[in-house]
């Protein structure tokens, strides 16, 4: 059994985090659930949205009336923390992605009602919905644009330390926050979405070294596209040998099966895998010393060879140890069929005798085509190809 780690799978094209690696030369269909997981990790779990919300500059709230019909002012209002943020994703066919963020904002400030000054705490439910589309594709990058950002305020709870609160104060706070918060929150979401876009697209344009044999450079091949069921991505890559020569392959997108109950479907073209395997399978010539004691069948091979050698040849004793040398010939090919994958390798088999003086007597030179059964799996975030003789 020979196991080859082909390349890391990253990101967005998947079930994985944005810090991991992605395949090149593939077509990818991502379900809304997978996108939701990735975006939630990128925006909420690492605190990126919360961090940028902390920088909100909230205006003072001024209003007439209040307790005992005195003027009311709330100054120094700031965000204390963001409670229970939750993100959801809906795909808009032919347009992009609709992103919704629901959260509770805990605000605090100083409240002056008449001659009474004390701390005020405000808890407000917010629901932010933004339509996100990709545009301006160029050289593997796209621009992310937010359209129709809508911020709706839900329940608002206000608490003064002294507990003295009139309905007019509640109304003043509600009116002021309804007028100001949407204009503050939507720009923050725009900034965070663009930061996440840079982070994720960075995983879709990279050069991965393949040992010392060469590199695979992959990037986005076209604008992402959406249906009601999935987000589609076409990626393409250049497979380069050491020295810069490119191994050609068909770069047209693959046809993908439906997602059904899966979060992610990846499609690789056979031609791309062949180009990648040319780099990955770099097997140096292998030489094996074969004697009847250690190589089953070698004695029969020697008997057969002695019958082919002239009896008067003093250098061709049947008791001389045989050696077998295997050399990879040409590039490997992978053949993909339904529920089956086969890797074809061409090897040169050289049977020879090496004398004590270092001279070599070739007895047999044979070209053999090997068919290897391929077992494909994903382990540790990597696409793994296990090969075994059929």
């Amino acid at each position: 059994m020979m196991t080859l780690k082909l390349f890391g799978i990253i990101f967005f094209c998947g079930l994985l985090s944005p810090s991991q690696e992605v395949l090149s030369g593939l077509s990818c269909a991502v379900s809304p659930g997978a996108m939701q997981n990735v975006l939630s990790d990128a925006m909420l779990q690492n605190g990126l949205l919360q961090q940028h919300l902390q920088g909100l500059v909230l205006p003072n709230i001024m209003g007439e009336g209040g307790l005992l019909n005195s003027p009311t002012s709330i100054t120094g209002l700031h965000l204390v923390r963001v409670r229970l943020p939750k993100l959801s994703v809906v795909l808009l066919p032919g347009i992009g992605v609709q992103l919704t963020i629901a959260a509770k904002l805990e605000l605090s400030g100083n409240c002056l009602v008449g001659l009474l000054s004390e701390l005020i705490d405000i808890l407000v439910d917010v629901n932010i919905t933004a339509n996100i589309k990709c545009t301006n594709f160029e050289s593997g990058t796209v621009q992310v644009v937010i359209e129709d950002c809508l911020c709706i305020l839900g329940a608002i709870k206000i608490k003064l330390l002294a507990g003295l609160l009139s309905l007019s104060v509640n109304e003043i706070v509600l009116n002021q926050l309804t007028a100001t918060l949407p204009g503050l929150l939507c720009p923050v979401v725009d900034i965070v979405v663009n930061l996440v876009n840079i982070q994720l697209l960075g995983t879709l344009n990279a050069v991965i070294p393949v040992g010392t044999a060469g590199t695979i450079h992959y990037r986005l091949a076209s604008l992402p596209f959406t249906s009601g069921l999935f987000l589609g991505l076409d990626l393409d890559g250049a497979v380069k040998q050491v020295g810069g020569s490119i191994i050609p392959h068909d770069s047209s997108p693959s046809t993908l099966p439906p997602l059904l109950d899966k979060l992610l479907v990846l499609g690789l073209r056979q031609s791309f895998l062949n180009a990648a395997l040319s780099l990955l399978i770099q097997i140096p010539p292998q030489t094996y010393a074969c004697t009847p004691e250690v190589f089953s069948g070698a004695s029969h091979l020697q008997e057969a060879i002695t019958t082919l050698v002239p009896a008067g040849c003093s250098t061709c004793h049947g008791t001389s140890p045989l050696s077998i040398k295997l050399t990879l010939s040409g590039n490997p090919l992978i053949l993909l069929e339904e529920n089956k994958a086969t890797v074809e390798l061409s090897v040169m088999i050289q049977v020879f005798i090496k004398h004590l003086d270092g001279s070599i007597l070739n007895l047999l030179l044979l070209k053999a085509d090997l068919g290897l059964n391929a077992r494909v799996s994903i382990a540790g975030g990597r696409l793994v190809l296990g090969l075994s003789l059929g």
Side-chain angles (χ1 to χ4, degrees):
M1 168 69 72
M2 176 171 60
T3 299
L4 301 174
K5 289 186 177 179
L6 292 185
F7 6 72
I9 298 179
I10 347 188
F11 123 100
F12 192 83
C13 223
L15 319 172
L16 310 178
S17 71
S19 62
Q20 293 170 301
E21 298 173 67
V22 79
L23 290 181
S24 61
L26 59 81
S27 293
C28 169
V30 188
S31 74
M35 287 188 56
Q36 187 167 308
N37 292 343
V38 171
L39 292 176
S40 183
D41 285 344
M43 296 177 65
L44 303 182
Q45 302 307 315
N46 65 3
L48 183 64
L49 178 65
Q50 294 90 321
Q51 173 188 340
H52 281 77
L53 286 175
Q54 290 296 146
L56 283 179
V57 178
L58 297 167
N60 295 332
I61 296 177
M62 303 293 178
E64 297 295 329
L67 187 64
L68 303 178
N69 293 322
S70 300
T72 301
S73 66
I74 300 173
T75 58
L77 197 60
H78 61 281
L79 180 67
V80 176
R81 66 185 176 119
V82 181
R83 293 188 186 179
L84 306 173
K86 185 178 180 181
L87 181 147
S88 60
V89 167
V90 175
L91 297 179
L92 305 176
I95 299 174
V97 175
Q98 185 177 82
L99 179 71
T100 300
I101 300 172
K104 293 180 181 290
L105 304 184
E106 185 177 326
L107 311 174
S108 185
N110 300 309
C111 180
L112 179 64
V113 182
L115 300 177
L116 300 176
S117 178
E118 52 188 308
L119 295 178
I120 185 172
D121 293 324
I122 303 172
L123 187 64
V124 53
D125 291 343
V126 296
N127 203 71
I128 307 168
T129 301
N131 293 340
I132 302 173
K133 65 181 297 185
C134 295
T135 185
N136 297 336
F137 172 81
E138 183 179 359
S139 301
T141 62
V142 296
Q143 181 183 358
V144 169
V145 177
I146 287 187
E147 297 181 339
D148 304 323
C149 181
L150 178 65
C151 180
I152 299 177
L153 271 58
I156 295 181
K157 297 181 181 179
I158 304 173
K159 183 176 71 173
L160 292 173
L161 289 184
L164 299 176
L165 184 65
S166 67
L167 292 177
S168 59
V169 172
N170 190 84
E171 185 178 349
I172 291 170
V173 171
L174 176 61
N175 291 339
Q176 290 286 343
L177 291 182
T178 301
T180 58
L181 267 184
L184 297 174
L185 296 178
C186 281
V188 171
V189 172
D190 185 45
I191 291 172
V192 171
V193 166
N194 275 281
L195 288 174
V196 170
N197 172 59
I198 293 171
Q199 181 185 20
L200 295 181
L201 284 183
T203 68
L204 293 179
N205 191 343
V207 177
I208 296 179
V210 182
T212 58
T215 60
I216 296 176
H217 178 197
Y218 63 82
R219 67 182 185 180
L220 202 61
S222 61
L223 274 174
F225 57 95
T226 56
S227 72
L229 300 176
F230 66 87
L231 170 74
L233 298 169
D234 284 335
L235 304 175
D236 193 20
V239 183
K240 293 185 179 181
Q241 296 174 313
V242 170
S245 60
I246 295 178
I247 302 174
H249 70 277
D250 182 0
S251 59
S252 56
S254 304
T255 301
L256 297 174
L259 280 171
L260 299 178
D261 59 342
K262 297 178 177 61
L263 294 177
L264 167 71
V265 171
L266 297 171
L268 282 103
R269 296 191 67 86
Q270 180 172 295
S271 58
F272 173 77
L273 281 176
N274 283 331
L277 285 176
S278 298
L279 284 184
L280 292 163
I281 300 182
Q282 299 284 335
I283 304 174
Q286 305 290 316
T287 301
Y288 305 94
C290 303
T291 62
E293 291 78 16
V294 299
F295 182 69
S296 175
S299 59
H300 301 292
L301 181 59
Q302 284 186 309
E303 291 173 5
I305 290 172
T306 55
T307 64
L308 301 175
V309 177
C313 179
S314 60
T315 61
C316 304
H317 301 297
T319 57
S320 300
L322 295 176
S323 294
I324 294 181
K325 183 177 182 180
L326 302 178
T327 305
L328 190 63
S329 174
N331 292 325
L333 294 176
I334 187 167
L335 303 178
L336 302 178
E337 304 172 72
E338 187 173 356
N339 299 321
K340 182 181 179 182
T342 305
V343 173
E344 293 187 350
L345 292 179
S346 293
V347 297
M348 297 299 295
I349 303 175
Q350 178 186 5
V351 182
F352 63 93
I353 296 173
K354 185 174 183 180
H355 298 297
L356 294 177
D357 61 1
S359 61
I360 292 177
L361 176 63
N362 286 319
L363 301 176
L364 181 67
L365 188 61
L366 177 68
K367 181 180 179 181
D369 293 326
L370 304 180
L372 305 179
N373 295 327
R375 189 182 74 251
V376 181
S377 61
I378 295 178
R382 293 178 179 273
L383 180 63
V384 176
L385 188 64
L387 304 180
S388 60
L389 278 172

